[in-house]
Amino acid sequence: MTASFSSSTSSGTHSASVISIFLAILIIATAETTPENYVPDAIVVDPSSSKEPKYEPAARGGFRWRDLGVSFEPCQMDTSTMRRKYTSDAATTATADGDECDEVCLDDSLWLLYPTSGFVEDGSLCGIIGPSGSGKTTFLSALGGTMRKNSGIYLTGSAWYEEAIVNKSSVNLDATNYENDFASGDGDSKTASTTINARGKKYRRYHLSQQGGDIAMLSQHDNFFGMLTPRESIEFAAFLEIQKRSFERNDGGYNGGANHKEVAHNILASLGLLGVADRRIGDRTKLDGGDEGNSRVHIKWDDLRFWPGSRRRRPFSNSKCNSGVRTGSAVSKVTDGVMTRKGGGLSGGERRRLSVAMELITEPKIFLADEPTTGLDSAQAEKVVALIAKLAKDRQVPSICTLHQPKTSIWNLLDTFILLAPGGKMCYAGDRSGATEYFKNIGYECPPETNPAEYFIDLVSIDTEDPVKAAADTERIDFLHHQFLDSCTATILSYDDVEMWTPPESGSASRMNKYISTNVSFSSKIRKEMTRISNTINRFASLLQRSLRQNIRNTSVNVLRFGCSAMQAVLFAAIFKSVRDDKPLTKSIADRVALLTYAVVNMSIMSLMKTLDLFARERFVVTREQMRHNYYGFEYLLAKVVSEMPLDTAYVLVHGAILKQLTGLRTSLATLMKTLSLMTVSSVSLGFAIGSLTSSVDTAMSTGVPIMVIFMILGVINPSGVNLDDPPMPIMELLKIASPIKWAIESLVVAEFRDMAFGEKERGLWGNLKDLPRMGALAMVRNGNEVLENLGLGNAKYSQLMKNLGILSCVYLSMSWLGLAFGGPKFIDIAASS
């Protein structure tokens, strides 16, 4: 495959000048018949000669970027102006437009990535190589439009996708074509315009976005729901994508009418994942290497083929091995020629392939991968890159990936590559096969039997430990950067021939929507609204099913929580012995309040900590799905809350039943369960709110624990009584209102003491005075209502307190929704002019 990469310069040689004059005459001669905006054919560098460019017709589409740069300060500079950094010593340099460019824009410390321009052809694999700190990930993020707005950096330039229009005699931009474009998925997500180049070839330009599913972005880290299987994960993603596209196109299917299970099966088969399709993915961050919630490893001595001194027969010597193979962690079974395994988490290579599969659900126009070989051995790394290369050719999409240190076999898989030096300086971009000849011609010949990738990376590396070597390395990199700018002459990157393209504000998408909106009948609108409601219900059901699977399958955590709930209930009953099952005593007042307080605090903290950990881990997957508009944040949150209820209710039932059985609590088991269950919902909602407003698990934990401690301190009731004449500060009162622990404790205390009659006889004045140092004002009370008066709850009603707790839960859910809707990452739009 051929891909053209170059940066615009003005050659100083005589031959280049002649060619430039010839091209200018040609453009002027054809000005009357050439559209205003066109895509000319590329002129690429001949590897055998750094001075003689040659024509190469752009017969196919691909992904193109122009003047794409990343800087710490806003600085408008193109690659032509950047080249003058090496040819002019003046403090200021005139730009192509006649404006003055301050020399600060030429300072290396200003740029993370110097402005570059290039093109990757459909079906080709381009690798980005360079030492650490050269801007590989920054460049890929700029291409994919994932540079965050709050990162403090600025983007210049633009990027778009060009699709060649084949077998069309004319380009008609009437409303009918807009409607057809919309039906084929070329509407809202890919704002388009059609252009004709100098040779009369038609191209359609699209602004791609991850939100529309146009860009597949494979990150360095794999993020999944660990309790699901690959089949379930892909089926879920396919279901959401099919539903979204069917609604947008107003038809009944996607990908030829195939349902989501067929789509998932085909993707699993194409990526070689059928053998592990029904294994749980696992969590690679766990110490057990990803076997979270899966079958434990069972090893039998008979399973060992060779054991020193053992005369046991080999386990695979009988006929049974034809149907099953026992491994260290699971049993493998051959079905329809595919070896399937159950139990154990996925390996690193399998997880990488699954990440690729998740990105292919959207049928992207371009595939980007940020160091896809991270954490893999050399064999697995080669398989992953080979898979990406195969997908690029089979699906005819341009693929770009960053590679840290590619070995020779991986290097040979690349069609083209980009060499970046520290500071984001592009030192080469073009065909892999012509790279060694190019560097040989400028004085840097790759030694024989040396991996060219390693040699090129060493060529642009800087030895920071030795100042003398560092200066020499920097001088060499500047020379390579300068030579590359001088040697690359391409009309496709000439700023006099191709103007910067941005999506039209009132172009095809807006006119298409106008056409559709004015030609839709009332019955069609009703039918569409009914479809929208049905889709919402289906999405919620799918999200609920995924959340239930994630929670219920986490066996080890669930068993541990059940055990902790039971043990803590037994411990509390043993500590507060005065809470007997016969008639209540005055001296048990403080113990009853403390027992109820401990029960509430225990269940609240357990619910919050579990939610913070789980929600923060799921946040990466949820953010990716929301970026593609697969569902609304409120649907996800509601499904999460509902899915948490069964297990949380079970924990509450175990804890409350044991407390009720071993103590003399007066409140009923139903009241105890109802209060603790609603309190866990409130704690879960608080966890969602904190998780949605933080960026990582560590940040969520660091924020959630202090908040819960504050709520616990302010929510606990002082058993000695409350002084109503000394109200707390307004900030303290506000924090108390926001504490779910406060409302839960007060609800249980009111339910416990309301209309309580003490079983002991009249103690007299001496008995009351004797208990005064220990019980305070509560030593003088005569019934439960007086206890509530001393605690400041004389007029409190259980139903109103529970209502307040429910309202607080809704407030936290609303905060969670706002956090997901507006607290997610915001990206710089590379389609807009800087």
Side-chain angles (χ1 to χ4, degrees), residues 753-758 782-789:
F753 287 100
R754 181 67 68 191
D755 299 329
M756 175 187 286
F758 297 128
R782 291 169 294 182
N783 54 54
N785 292 335
E786 292 187 4
V787 173
L788 295 178
E789 290 287 348

Side-chain angles (χ1 to χ4, degrees), residues 446-666:
C446 180
E449 300 182 358
T450 300
N451 181 3
E454 296 180 357
Y455 174 73
F456 295 147
I457 293 176
D458 292 340
L459 201 61
V460 295
S461 297
I462 298 178
D463 187 355
T464 57
E465 297 181 356
D466 189 336
V468 177
K469 291 183 178 180
D473 293 338
T474 302
E475 184 178 356
R476 181 180 65 251
I477 291 172
D478 288 342
F479 170 77
L480 294 175
H481 190 206
H482 185 196
Q483 286 295 314
F484 175 71
L485 295 177
D486 280 347
S487 62
C488 292
T489 304
T491 304
I492 193 62
L493 303 174
S494 176
Y495 306 115
D496 297 330
D497 298 331
V498 180
E499 63 183 40
M500 182 82 72
W501 180 80
T502 58
E505 296 181 359
S506 58
S508 61
S510 59
R511 285 157 52 187
M512 171 198 65
N513 293 333
K514 180 179 179 181
Y515 172 81
I516 292 177
S517 62
T518 57
N519 289 273
V520 176
S521 64
F522 179 76
S523 60
S524 298
K525 293 180 179 179
I526 296 298
R527 187 165 52 251
K528 189 170 184 179
E529 289 302 318
M530 295 300 296
T531 303
R532 189 192 305 273
I533 296 173
S534 175
N535 289 347
T536 300
I537 296 174
N538 292 334
R539 287 195 303 268
F540 173 76
S542 299
L543 290 166
L544 179 60
Q545 182 185 48
R546 182 177 69 172
S547 298
L548 285 173
R549 286 172 173 171
Q550 182 75 4
N551 292 340
I552 295 175
R553 290 178 179 176
N554 201 350
T555 309
S556 58
V557 174
N558 293 334
V559 171
L560 182 61
R561 285 194 66 185
F562 274 116
C564 290
S565 298
M567 291 178 60
Q568 288 171 338
V570 173
L571 180 62
F572 294 160
I575 293 176
F576 303 106
K577 296 180 180 179
S578 64
V579 185
R580 301 186 314 207
D581 56 357
D582 55 1
K583 292 184 178 181
L585 303 177
T586 306
K587 63 180 180 180
S588 69
I589 294 176
D591 285 351
R592 288 178 185 274
V593 175
L595 177 60
L596 295 174
T597 299
Y598 285 5
V600 169
V601 171
N602 166 60
M603 300 304 299
S604 179
I605 290 180
M606 289 180 63
S607 299
L608 178 69
M609 292 297 103
K610 181 205 67 172
T611 303
L612 286 177
D613 179 74
L614 186 61
F615 183 73
R617 294 182 188 278
E618 294 178 359
R619 179 71 185 275
F620 299 103
V621 182
V622 173
T623 300
R624 180 182 63 198
E625 293 170 343
Q626 283 202 296
M627 283 176 56
R628 296 173 178 171
H629 305 298
N630 285 335
Y631 52 78
Y632 296 103
F634 185 76
E635 297 170 356
Y636 166 76
L637 291 171
L638 186 60
K640 286 295 294 181
V641 172
V642 174
S643 67
E644 297 288 342
M645 286 183 178
L647 284 175
D648 286 341
T649 302
Y651 302 142
V652 168
L653 177 60
V654 170
H655 190 76
I658 294 177
L659 278 181
K660 185 64 178 176
Q661 182 67 26
L662 299 181
T663 64
L665 287 176
R666 179 172 171 270

Side-chain angles (χ1 to χ4, degrees), residues 77-142:
M77 186 175 72
D78 54 34
T79 50
S80 177
T81 305
M82 177 189 62
R83 177 179 173 272
R84 303 183 188 184
K85 167 185 173 67
Y86 304 105
T87 58
S88 176
D89 296 329
T92 58
T93 306
T95 64
D97 297 330
D99 298 331
E100 294 297 320
C101 177
D102 195 334
E103 65 174 342
V104 71
C105 290
L106 300 177
D107 186 2
D108 288 344
S109 62
L110 178 68
W111 295 94
L112 283 171
L113 177 71
Y114 267 93
T116 62
S117 302
F119 177 75
V120 180
E121 199 175 60
D122 285 340
S124 65
L125 175 61
C126 172
I128 304 176
I129 64 174
S132 299
S134 59
K136 299 187 296 294
T137 299
T138 301
F139 184 32
L140 202 69
S141 299

Side-chain angles (χ1 to χ4, degrees), residues 8-311:
S8 176
T9 66
S10 298
S11 177
T13 63
H14 177 71
S15 59
S17 300
V18 172
I19 292 175
S20 301
I21 295 174
F22 173 76
L23 290 175
I25 296 174
L26 180 63
I27 293 173
I28 295 173
T30 59
E32 295 181 354
T33 59
T34 303
E36 182 181 356
N37 296 328
Y38 67 95
V39 180
D41 298 328
I43 302 179
V44 298
V45 178
D46 185 352
S48 61
S49 174
S50 62
K51 299 299 182 181
E52 296 295 333
K54 64 177 183 178
Y55 281 103
E56 181 176 325
R60 300 163 62 181
F63 187 69
R64 190 180 303 280
W65 65 95
R66 175 181 161 184
D67 293 340
L68 193 62
V70 181
S71 61
F72 291 108
E73 297 291 340
C75 186
Q76 188 68 18
M77 186 175 72
D78 54 34
T79 50
S80 177
T81 305
M82 177 189 62
R83 177 179 173 272
R84 303 183 188 184
K85 167 185 173 67
Y86 304 105
T87 58
S88 176
D89 296 329
T92 58
T93 306
T95 64
D97 297 330
D99 298 331
E100 294 297 320
C101 177
D102 195 334
E103 65 174 342
V104 71
C105 290
L106 300 177
D107 186 2
D108 288 344
S109 62
L110 178 68
W111 295 94
L112 283 171
L113 177 71
Y114 267 93
T116 62
S117 302
F119 177 75
V120 180
E121 199 175 60
D122 285 340
S124 65
L125 175 61
C126 172
I128 304 176
I129 64 174
S132 299
S134 59
K136 299 187 296 294
T137 299
T138 301
F139 184 32
L140 202 69
S141 299
L143 291 176
T146 58
M147 302 295 295
R148 302 203 175 194
K149 288 185 177 181
N150 59 356
S151 58
I153 59 178
Y154 298 85
L155 242 63
T156 62
S158 183
W160 62 88
Y161 177 78
E162 293 180 353
E163 182 181 31
I165 303 176
V166 184
N167 296 329
K168 289 190 177 181
S169 58
S170 63
V171 180
N172 185 11
L173 298 181
D174 58 13
T176 303
N177 278 340
Y178 289 125
E179 182 181 22
N180 293 335
D181 290 346
F182 181 69
S184 62
D186 295 335
D188 294 327
S189 62
K190 297 180 283 289
T191 307
S193 66
T194 305
T195 58
I196 304 176
N197 68 0
R199 294 175 179 265
K201 296 182 180 181
K202 304 181 185 70
Y203 289 88
R204 180 167 296 166
R205 291 174 167 182
Y206 299 106
H207 166 49
L208 304 184
S209 67
Q210 289 198 46
Q211 290 83 350
D214 309 315
I215 300 176
M217 186 73 175
L218 187 65
S219 61
Q220 293 187 20
H221 305 288
D222 304 309
N223 299 300
F224 306 105
F225 282 73
M227 291 296 116
L228 302 185
T229 65
R231 188 187 304 276
E232 292 168 345
S233 300
I234 298 178
E235 285 182 355
F236 174 80
F239 172 79
L240 295 179
E241 186 66 23
I242 289 172
Q243 188 181 75
K244 182 182 73 173
R245 294 203 177 192
S246 297
F247 181 76
E248 289 175 351
R249 301 177 183 184
N250 200 23
D251 59 24
Y254 159 57
N255 199 16
N259 61 38
H260 65 283
K261 292 187 177 181
E262 293 176 353
V263 172
H265 181 84
N266 293 336
I267 292 179
L268 288 168
S270 65
L271 299 183
L273 290 171
L274 283 179
V276 295
D278 298 312
R279 296 176 65 192
R280 295 183 190 172
I281 299 172
D283 189 349
R284 302 293 291 182
T285 63
K286 304 295 183 182
L287 294 178
D288 56 9
D291 292 336
E292 176 193 23
N294 295 285
S295 303
R296 295 182 180 275
V297 178
H298 298 285
I299 301 178
K300 295 183 178 180
W301 297 118
D302 289 338
D303 291 342
L304 300 178
R305 293 194 178 192
F306 304 101
W307 184 254
S310 174
R311 295 186 179 182

Side-chain angles (χ1 to χ4, degrees), residues 711-712 714-715 734-743 808 812:
F711 285 169
M712 181 179 64
L714 296 178
L734 183 62
L735 290 175
K736 280 187 176 183
I737 294 175
S739 172
I741 295 178
K742 161 189 163 58
W743 301 111
L808 185 62
Y812 285 141

